[in-house]
Amino acid sequence: LLRGNKHGFEICTVDHQKDGKIRVDATVSFEGDASVVCSYTNEDGVYDHEKYAKIVKFHQPTVGDDGFKKYNLEGNIDPFDIETNTHAWWHMPCGRALGMFNGKLIEYDSTTLAPIGLVIDADELVDKKICVINKSGLNADRAGCLDEQAVVVLLDKKGGHVKIVQPNEDGSYWRKYDRNRNELFPSRVVQAS
């Protein structure tokens, strides 16, 4: 259930076991043209507010802004440093939109560029490099479109380790929340062999 207001909207759940009581799960408000503030709340008894209730501020990218990363002639996005103030975003060849904000890797809706969810938190990313490698390069038959065989790669600047960011089974990248276990699924990052 979505309820709009002059500041943004609320994401709600109808609790049919409690006579249709409406529970507010998240409040999304807009600040200016490029910022979205999400406040995740839930009055459910199994929800651990001390652990998960927090306000998260996201940047909403816009087409043509300074943070947009372009693919090079080989069909890759060159490695760039990740710091807490890194602002960058790009479209994956499959159409998904990913970006960096406050040292976090975020998935955005491919059409509206609204934030969908967290892919990897800053504690796993800051002081590393990130790039996108397209396995097949540019496909001239598709008028400069990229082949859909691209991977997001994390490069450890100190140890030289390489990690691959795996998409979820449905092709998305953001981490899902498991209400039954009251926890986020772990990030899908694997060590490259």
Side-chain angles (χ1 to χ4, degrees), residues 117-162:
L118 176 70
V119 179
I120 304 172
D121 208 351
D123 60 345
E124 296 180 66
L125 289 175
V126 172
D127 294 328
K128 292 186 174 55
K129 288 182 177 272
I130 191 168
C131 65
V132 178
I133 298 176
N134 185 24
K135 296 177 187 176
S136 303
L138 288 175
N139 184 341
D141 295 334
R142 293 174 58 197
C145 293
L146 294 171
D147 200 310
E148 294 186 8
Q149 297 295 318
V151 293
V152 179
V153 178
L154 301 177
L155 308 164
D156 185 344
K157 294 191 285 189
K158 295 176 185 166
H161 303 288
V162 176

Side-chain angles (χ1 to χ4, degrees), residues 11-43:
I11 301 171
C12 306
T13 303
V14 177
D15 190 341
H16 296 285
Q17 295 178 357
K18 294 183 180 177
D19 297 322
K21 180 180 175 188
I22 304 295
R23 179 185 69 219
V24 177
D25 293 320
T27 302
V28 178
S29 58
F30 302 101
E31 292 182 352
D33 293 336
S35 293
V36 178
V37 176
C38 300
S39 174
Y40 299 96
T41 58
N42 188 318
E43 299 305 324

Side-chain angles (χ1 to χ4, degrees), residues 7 9 17 25 57 79 86 110 114-115 117 162 169 175-176 185:
H7 303 292
F9 60 92
Q17 295 178 357
D25 293 320
K57 188 171 184 174
T86 300
S110 59
V162 176
E169 288 80 14
R175 293 165 60 178
K176 310 294 194 257
F185 286 112

Side-chain angles (χ1 to χ4, degrees), residues 12 32 47 60 63-64 82 89 95 127 142 183:
C12 306
Y47 188 78
Q60 184 171 354
V63 176
I82 303 168
W89 71 280
D127 294 328
R142 293 174 58 197
E183 64 187 18

Side-chain angles (χ1 to χ4, degrees), residues 18-116:
K18 294 183 180 177
D19 297 322
K21 180 180 175 188
I22 304 295
R23 179 185 69 219
V24 177
D25 293 320
T27 302
V28 178
S29 58
F30 302 101
E31 292 182 352
D33 293 336
S35 293
V36 178
V37 176
C38 300
S39 174
Y40 299 96
T41 58
N42 188 318
E43 299 305 324
D44 194 340
V46 298
Y47 188 78
D48 184 352
H49 288 279
E50 296 297 319
K51 189 173 181 183
Y52 292 107
K54 59 177 102 171
I55 295 177
V56 181
K57 188 171 184 174
F58 289 101
H59 168 79
Q60 184 171 354
T62 54
V63 176
D65 71 12
D66 293 341
F68 182 71
K69 293 290 185 181
K70 295 181 181 178
Y71 286 86
N72 62 24
L73 294 175
E74 289 81 35
N76 304 317
I77 293 178
D78 294 325
F80 60 93
D81 292 327
I82 303 168
E83 304 299 332
T84 54
N85 62 351
T86 300
H87 162 71
W89 71 280
W90 60 93
H91 281 284
M92 293 295 289
C94 62
R96 304 262 178 199
L98 298 176
M100 304 297 311
F101 182 67
N102 286 347
K104 298 173 172 78
L105 182 60
I106 307 291
E107 182 169 355
Y108 296 95
D109 179 82
S110 59
T111 305
T112 64
L113 297 177
I116 295 175

